[in-house]
Amino acid sequence: MGATKTEHFTDKQNAVAALAKALGHPARVAIVEYLLSVDSCICGDIVNELPLAQPTVSQHLKELKSAGIIKGEIEGNAICYCVDETAIEKLQDYFASVAAILHKKKSNCC
Amino acid sequence: MGATKTEHFTDKQNAVAALAKALGHPARVAIVEYLLSVDSCICGDIVNELPLAQPTVSQHLKELKSAGIIKGEIEGNAICYCVDETAIEKLQDYFASVAAILHKKKSNCC
DNA sequence: ATTATTTATCGTAATATTGCAATATAAAAA
DNA sequence: TTTTTATATTGCAATATTACGATAAATAAT
């Protein structure tokens, strides 16, 4: 086969996986970090920052956007992309809760 | 093409992406959550918990292990898998720092 | 109106991932 | 020793991802 069996997992599991997957590529991590580093959102120069061709960057941006990690607004003939706080908070909360459960566990046998 | 250009990104970006990628599949999220939910680490029944065949589960476990998200120890003819706190903390810290930067930013134009 | 700039999309090749049946391996139980 | 039990590995088909050249679309500048 080759297709993920999404329907067998809970909505929350799928949601976490989708967010994680979007950040599962160094280029997309780099894009997020670049967006954080610029104060103004003249974000077209992401292409110049990354060692990838423009269509590739555009594709990565599309994935980040469809996963909800970034949001974009048209501004003239350019586009302003920003990191979406909500998605980051979801991830932060999720891993915080996982860490909390781990800390509570006495018997970490390994 | 088709191969990720890892060498063009920083070690940290690659590290975050590798951890995120490992959790970028609902089955692997489900495995982590199952490991958190059991107190004893008789973890062989992960296969019974998941709607996937044994070789598929074994492969997902391998990926989680090689990414450092879980660790395993042989116990007789079974294996005890546990979530590795270090990896979760790395993710938690990373997203916390991203969230902190976002909060500090005044001009979130989008 | 024409040209430049910016971003997206299409098409396609290379590679990776997902999933499983079949089989191997290795320790436990009989 | 033989058989079970638990896990890993192999091989393969289906699908997804990554990357980019070529091209489209849409606004800005001339």
Side-chain angles (χ1 to χ4, degrees):
Chain A
M1 328 276 140
T4 295
K5 294 182 152 184
T6 0
E7 66 279 10
H8 293 309
F9 302 98
T10 69
D11 287 353
K12 207 190 166 187
Q13 285 164 347
N14 282 314
V16 169
L19 287 174
K21 188 178 187 178
L23 290 172
H25 192 291
R28 294 195 288 266
V29 173
I31 288 173
V32 166
E33 292 181 356
Y34 177 70
L35 289 179
L36 289 177
S37 78
V38 288
D39 230 29
S40 60
C41 269
I42 331 142
C43 308
D45 20 38
I46 302 172
V47 175
N48 301 318
E49 283 293 311
L50 295 191
L52 295 170
Q54 182 268 323
T56 309
V57 173
S58 185
Q59 201 175 281
H60 282 306
L61 287 167
K62 194 180 176 185
E63 268 170 72
L64 283 170
K65 198 178 178 190
S66 87
I69 305 248
I70 64 174
K71 42 190 175 172
E73 240 167 51
I74 294 162
E75 230 164 73
N77 69 338
I79 285 199
C80 158
Y81 279 115
C82 293
V83 177
D84 190 332
E85 256 185 86
T86 321
I88 301 298
E89 272 162 16
K90 273 182 200 161
L91 286 166
Q92 194 191 356
D93 289 353
Y94 183 75
F95 291 117
S97 80
V98 171
I101 293 170
L102 274 175
H103 287 148
K104 236 174 278 181
K105 283 185 73 132
K106 27 218 145 179
S107 62
N108 228 8
C109 60
C110 315
Chain B
M1 329 271 139
T4 296
K5 294 183 151 183
T6 0
E7 67 279 10
H8 293 310
F9 302 97
T10 69
D11 286 352
K12 207 191 167 187
Q13 285 165 347
N14 282 313
V16 169
L19 287 175
K21 188 178 186 178
L23 290 172
H25 191 291
R28 294 195 288 268
V29 172
I31 288 172
V32 166
E33 291 182 356
Y34 178 71
L35 290 179
L36 288 177
S37 78
V38 287
D39 229 31
S40 61
C41 269
I42 330 145
C43 307
D45 20 38
I46 302 173
V47 175
N48 301 320
E49 284 292 311
L50 295 192
L52 295 171
Q54 181 267 323
T56 309
V57 173
S58 185
Q59 199 176 283
H60 282 306
L61 286 166
K62 194 179 175 184
E63 268 169 73
L64 284 170
K65 197 178 177 188
S66 89
I69 305 248
I70 64 174
K71 42 190 176 171
E73 240 166 51
I74 294 162
E75 229 163 75
N77 68 339
I79 285 198
C80 158
Y81 279 115
C82 293
V83 177
D84 191 332
E85 257 186 82
T86 322
I88 301 299
E89 272 161 15
K90 273 182 199 159
L91 286 165
Q92 194 189 357
D93 290 353
Y94 184 75
F95 292 116
S97 82
V98 171
I101 293 169
L102 274 176
H103 287 147
K104 234 174 278 177
K105 284 187 73 133
K106 20 204 156 195
S107 63
N108 227 10
C109 60
C110 313

